[in-house]
Amino acid sequence: MKLPKNLEKVILFDVHKIRKDFPILSRMVNNKPLIYFDNGATTQKSQQVIDALIKYYTVQNANIHRGVHRMSQDVTDEYENARITVQKHIGAKQEHEIIFTSGTTDSINFIATVFGKKYVNSGDEIVVSEMEHHSNILPWQQLCEEKNAVLKVIPITDSGELCMDEYKKLLSAKTKLIAITHVSNTLGTVNPVKEMIAIAHSKNIPVLVDGAQSIPHIKVDVQDLDADFYCFSGHKVYAPTGVGILYGKEEWLNKLPNYQVGGGTIKTVSFDKSEYAESPLRFEAGTPNIEGGIGLAVALDYINVLGLENIATYEHELLGYATEKLSAIDNLRIIGTAKEKASVISFVVDGIHPLDLGMLLDAQGIAVRTGHHCTQPLMAHYQIPGTVRASFSFYNTKEEIDVFANAIVKSIKRINQK
């Protein structure tokens, strides 16, 4: 008998089997089994990714590009194959549209620097949203200060959704670029970036998308979105730290000046004049995080074997289950109730500071994030100092959420008894 499609997915997605691929999930914290709900900050690494790093340092360690010896050539091939893996994963048209960086923050600074240098002048405007991570505010704020430009902000509703009518009103002939998060790291809101890009392009305005929180949860196709720039970090998607991606449309990369210069970025150098390489090498100065790029490809292969559609379905179940459990707790208020959400829940409890609650949860082996989550303007909107944030992954379980909910209740009682 053929199983119904949805049931077939649930059976094939065996979370307990998957958890065995992540050795850190079996450790104890404060004499309790670790419950890791801080995936929005960084994700854990599968044994396959760990093995790839060990393999690099034990039998592959050599510098890439320009080497004539076998080890250099072999690892160069593997690194460049990793670029192709990323290209295919996000649906980029060309592999040279994929630039390795150190992460999302580096990628955004890259564009703020080179795009700003060439295209932003006094009186021009850059548009961001009220829910942006500091890394998608500060580079643009600094650019505006340097160029005497203006930073415009898309407001949000109390449910944590962008005010689209206000977004449309903000765009003008002075708007040079829009920088928007795909998924809010604090609220979990999934923004309508495809619609926003179409609106921007109707006015010939390019768009940069911060995909740090979307890549682990959503199937991204940069050609379908029509994004001009898209960036993400490896460590948010089960890969090593210190490696990230900047996707740029070929037409844009060909027009942008160099970001950093040095070894690997050139064709010829003389004291009279130097000639630079084509993208992506022109933008990748110095020795990169080679093992990080290789590990990123392994991590992407891993999630593609699981299937992003299966991951999204399972994580949506976790989100719904956790939302129901937490909503039943007295005096607990969820911050961010958008209709379209990724698997993130931020909340506050009346009369209790998020830090105090987070410390008590840690004592029970539960890792969550507390504070403003690098979104202080967002906290100002809600007039709160911060939240407790639980961010879920495909290796988390409903049983862990049950323990989490009970631990919150227990912690609230303990604080209120003092």
Side-chain angles (χ1 to χ4, degrees):
M1 181 180 74
K2 189 173 181 180
L3 293 169
K5 192 173 182 182
N6 288 340
L7 182 58
E8 187 178 48
K9 287 178 185 176
V10 172
I11 291 173
L12 292 175
F13 196 86
D14 186 343
V15 64
H16 297 290
K17 182 179 179 181
I18 289 166
R19 286 175 64 86
K20 294 177 182 178
D21 285 336
F22 293 82
I24 203 168
L25 298 181
S26 63
R27 71 163 288 187
M28 304 290 284
V29 173
N30 294 323
N31 296 316
K32 302 284 187 180
L34 169 65
I35 294 178
Y36 188 79
F37 286 169
D38 196 20
N39 296 286
T42 196
T43 50
Q44 298 303 334
K45 319 311 171 195
S46 71
Q47 190 63 55
Q48 291 87 338
V49 171
I50 296 168
D51 288 345
L53 300 183
I54 294 171
K55 177 184 176 184
Y56 173 78
Y57 281 117
T58 53
V59 300
Q60 294 179 301
N61 186 38
N63 212 331
I64 59 171
H65 304 140
R66 305 177 301 283
V68 297
H69 62 83
R70 177 65 181 270
M71 285 176 62
S72 176
Q73 291 178 15
D74 285 350
V75 79
T76 295
D77 289 343
E78 190 158 357
Y79 188 77
E80 290 304 321
N81 284 336
R83 193 189 306 276
I84 295 171
T85 296
V86 175
Q87 173 207 346
K88 292 178 178 177
H89 186 78
I90 65 172
K93 188 175 182 180
Q94 306 287 344
E95 65 185 82
H96 55 257
E97 294 176 316
I98 304 300
I99 299 166
F100 282 107
T101 67
S102 67
T104 307
T105 299
D106 186 29
S107 298
I108 295 171
N109 275 273
F110 178 126
I111 296 301
T113 299
V114 299
F115 183 91
K117 179 179 180 180
K118 186 170 182 177
Y119 292 105
V120 178
N121 298 297
S122 179
D124 288 339
E125 297 172 353
I126 303 292
V127 175
V128 298
S129 84
E130 198 174 9
M131 68 173 69
E132 298 305 315
H133 189 282
H134 293 168
S135 291
N136 203 29
I137 297 174
L138 298 177
W140 309 113
Q141 191 175 62
Q142 180 173 279
L143 172 64
C144 288
E145 290 171 356
E146 291 173 353
K147 291 297 191 87
N148 194 30
V150 180
L151 189 67
K152 296 281 189 175
V153 181
I154 310 164
I156 65 168
T157 66
D158 286 342
S159 64
E161 296 172 307
L162 294 175
C163 298
M164 290 297 289
D165 288 340
E166 295 302 315
Y167 165 66
K168 295 172 186 176
K169 292 176 185 177
L170 285 176
L171 306 187
S172 72
K174 295 181 179 180
T175 309
K176 292 299 179 181
L177 184 132
I178 295 155
I180 188 73
T181 186
H182 198 166
V183 173
S184 167
N185 70 302
T186 299
L187 306 174
T189 303
V190 181
N191 286 320
V193 293
K194 184 175 180 178
E195 178 187 353
M196 297 177 76
I197 291 169
I199 293 168
H201 284 177
S202 71
K203 299 179 181 293
N204 296 315
I205 302 169
V207 180
L208 175 144
V209 180
D210 173 355
Q213 299 292 334
S214 54
I215 285 290
H217 308 294
I218 297 171
K219 178 61 179 173
V220 172
D221 185 324
V222 292
Q223 289 190 77
D224 179 61
L225 293 177
D226 202 22
D228 300 283
F229 307 104
Y230 199 101
C231 49
F232 66 92
S233 299
H235 74 100
K236 307 284 191 184
V237 66
Y238 313 99
T241 56
V243 65
I245 296 297
L246 170 64
Y247 157 81
K249 281 184 179 177
E250 181 179 32
E251 61 195 78
W252 273 111
L253 295 180
N254 288 340
K255 292 187 288 187
L256 293 177
N258 295 329
Y259 178 42
Q260 296 174 323
V261 294
T265 65
I266 52 85
K267 289 182 179 177
T268 61
V269 174
S270 74
F271 286 113
D272 296 321
K273 184 176 177 60
S274 298
E275 184 181 6
Y276 288 94
E278 302 298 323
S279 178
L281 296 183
R282 180 163 67 91
F283 299 113
E284 296 179 352
T287 298
N289 185 349
I290 301 167
E291 69 279 20
I294 293 169
L296 173 57
V298 174
L300 295 180
D301 284 341
Y302 183 91
I303 64 174
N304 283 325
V305 168
L306 296 181
L308 269 166
E309 185 180 351
N310 295 337
I311 289 171
T313 299
Y314 180 72
E315 289 181 347
H316 185 72
E317 288 180 16
L318 290 180
L319 176 65
Y321 187 78
T323 300
E324 183 179 348
K325 284 285 185 179
L326 269 59
S327 296
I329 298 174
D330 291 340
N331 300 317
L332 185 150
R333 176 166 58 101
I334 293 174
I335 305 297
T337 55
K339 292 179 182 178
E340 295 294 329
K341 282 188 64 173
S343 53
V344 175
I345 298 180
S346 281
F347 63 92
V348 294
V349 177
D350 292 344
I352 297 177
H353 196 282
L355 178 61
D356 294 335
L357 185 53
M359 291 176 68
L360 288 177
L361 290 171
D362 175 62
Q364 298 170 77
I366 302 169
V368 293
R369 183 71 38 163
T370 65
H372 54 67
H373 317 301
C374 291
T375 56
Q376 285 183 302
L378 187 61
M379 297 300 110
H381 173 91
Y382 288 104
Q383 298 181 332
I384 54 177
T387 71
V388 178
R389 184 188 70 185
S391 44
F392 310 116
S393 164
F394 57 74
Y395 47 56
N396 293 129
T397 67
K398 291 180 179 179
E399 290 82 5
E400 289 181 318
I401 292 171
D402 289 337
V403 174
F404 176 49
N406 290 333
I408 293 172
V409 173
K410 181 180 176 181
S411 299
I412 292 172
K413 288 180 180 178
R414 181 174 175 181
I415 292 172
N416 289 336
Q417 285 172 355
K418 290 184 178 181

